[in-house]
Amino acid sequence: LVPVFVDRISNISRRDRWDEVVEVTAVGSGDSHFAALSSSLAFLQFAGFPLRLLTPQSHRYDTMRCVHRTDGKSMLLATSTSGRTPGVLRALAEAVEQGALTVAITGAPDTPATSMAVASIVPELPDLERSPGIRTYQASLICHLLVAIGLGEARGLVSPTEADGLRHALAGTAAPMEAVLDGILVQCAVIARAFANASLATVLGSGPNLGSARYAAAKLVEGTALFATGQDIEEWWHIERFADPVDSPLVLLAAPGHSQARAMEIAEAGRALRRFVVSVGPEGDPANGHAQAHLAVARTDHEVFSPLLYGLFAPLLAARVAQLLGRSPFQGDRPEIHARLTAYRQRANRPQF
């Protein structure tokens, strides 16, 4: 996907004068929102300004601040895999009316989103998996990361040589991603029993991997109907550590970076609180010693790209838990829900469960 996106982004960045952009707002729901959240550090580091994150509903409550500049220096990244999410389309319409640059990130070329936006980036993925979004999330995340690099290059904050190096490094995450998948298949099957016996699970992450934590929790909910939530590492310590049941699974995304030391402390504290602690991080990570289970993740030189690695365990774990519980994605094992899902997916031309 990286070369395809690079060519498309390069063409539209020159045409639409990305060198003049001074603010970017990202709007999306579910995985689309998590992809933007996971890319927020990249915008700060490469583009030189924070990414403003809104869901379609929060966008409606943010009218005063969401008035885009009328000089073409505001950008709206509107992400919707279907290209038809009503709230995203509403945000697009408002941004177009206000004169902002609008970029639609969507999974199909001929959708309301692509027809409304000034530009669009469309990863057309063949043979979509019969599961909650996995490759569609990865494609959205890659696209957001490349937009951040493209903005940095257009604004002169990243040299062309540096930008090419970052793109090469991003494409190079494919190999460690394969290594992660090969290494965690067995462990996911082993720890699935603890999740199948639980009434809830929590996934913790910080920085770019707060988005990974929320994405991982979403895959558990969508795939197994187990209630799961993604939370910031520090916020969990302040609030949710007091919640029952005390033995519920706690997954810690301990990526190298600013949050790793705190993740180690929380792993130790979680174990003391009788949580079933699973650490996700490189081999030799200090948090591993305090966890009942560990899912190994290859190291990356760029923390901003780590979300591509740290969300990989979630659909594999969810699949194993669903098998143990005899459940189908989106509660499709319930006849009345299965009928509605089938009708929806036929309308959307998506694979059936």
Side-chain angles (χ1 to χ4, degrees), residues 105-332:
I105 301 172
T106 181
D110 300 313
T111 66
T114 56
S115 65
M116 293 171 63
V118 172
S120 58
I121 307 169
V122 182
E124 295 184 73
L125 302 173
D127 303 320
L128 285 174
E129 69 274 0
R130 295 169 58 196
S131 68
I134 300 171
R135 286 188 296 144
T136 50
Y137 167 78
Q138 293 169 348
S140 295
L141 175 54
I142 291 168
C143 190
H144 280 79
L145 293 170
L146 286 170
V147 168
I149 296 170
L151 279 167
E153 184 178 19
R155 301 182 72 225
L157 301 177
V158 178
S159 72
T161 300
E162 291 171 329
D164 286 342
L166 289 167
R167 295 174 186 124
H168 180 75
L170 177 57
T173 58
M177 287 171 74
E178 291 290 348
V180 171
L181 291 173
D182 290 342
I184 65 175
L185 281 170
V186 174
Q187 290 96 320
C188 283
V190 170
I191 67 174
R193 181 69 60 183
F195 288 78
N197 291 331
S199 58
L200 65 90
T202 306
V203 187
L204 305 183
S206 291
N209 284 300
L210 175 57
S212 302
R214 291 182 175 165
Y215 165 77
K219 297 309 105 175
L220 286 168
V221 172
E222 293 168 349
T224 72
L226 170 69
F227 181 78
T229 184
Q231 178 60 292
D232 177 78
I233 292 172
E234 192 66 36
E235 287 303 298
W236 180 85
W237 175 252
H238 278 274
I239 302 172
E240 286 89 353
R241 68 176 163 126
F242 300 109
D244 282 333
V246 296
D247 59 349
S248 59
L250 181 69
V251 182
L252 268 162
L253 306 186
H258 294 297
S259 62
Q260 189 176 39
R262 187 56 173 154
M264 178 187 68
E265 296 171 350
I266 296 301
E268 182 178 11
R271 183 74 178 268
L273 291 170
R274 294 190 294 163
R275 308 288 183 189
F276 178 81
V277 179
V278 178
S279 67
V280 182
E283 292 290 357
D285 178 51
N288 302 346
H290 303 294
Q292 285 95 328
H294 173 63
L295 300 176
V297 175
R299 292 184 180 273
T300 175
D301 294 333
H302 299 279
E303 186 180 4
V304 290
F305 300 152
S306 63
L308 282 165
L309 302 172
Y310 278 78
L312 287 175
F313 77 93
L316 299 178
L317 177 60
R320 292 299 190 184
V321 175
Q323 287 172 340
L324 290 172
L325 295 174
R327 294 175 180 171
S328 296
F330 301 107
Q331 293 193 355

Side-chain angles (χ1 to χ4, degrees), residues 43-63:
F43 279 84
L44 194 58
Q45 287 192 1
F46 304 144
F49 46 69
L51 178 65
R52 197 153 158 263
L53 293 157
L54 293 174
T55 64
Q57 198 62 26
S58 63
H59 183 276
R60 303 186 77 173
Y61 283 92
D62 209 56
T63 305

Side-chain angles (χ1 to χ4, degrees), residues 16-23 69 71-74 154-155:
D16 297 335
R17 297 300 306 270
W18 283 18
D19 58 318
E20 297 181 356
V21 172
V22 297
E23 60 185 21
R69 299 170 64 103
D71 52 11
K73 295 184 179 181
S74 291
R155 301 182 72 225

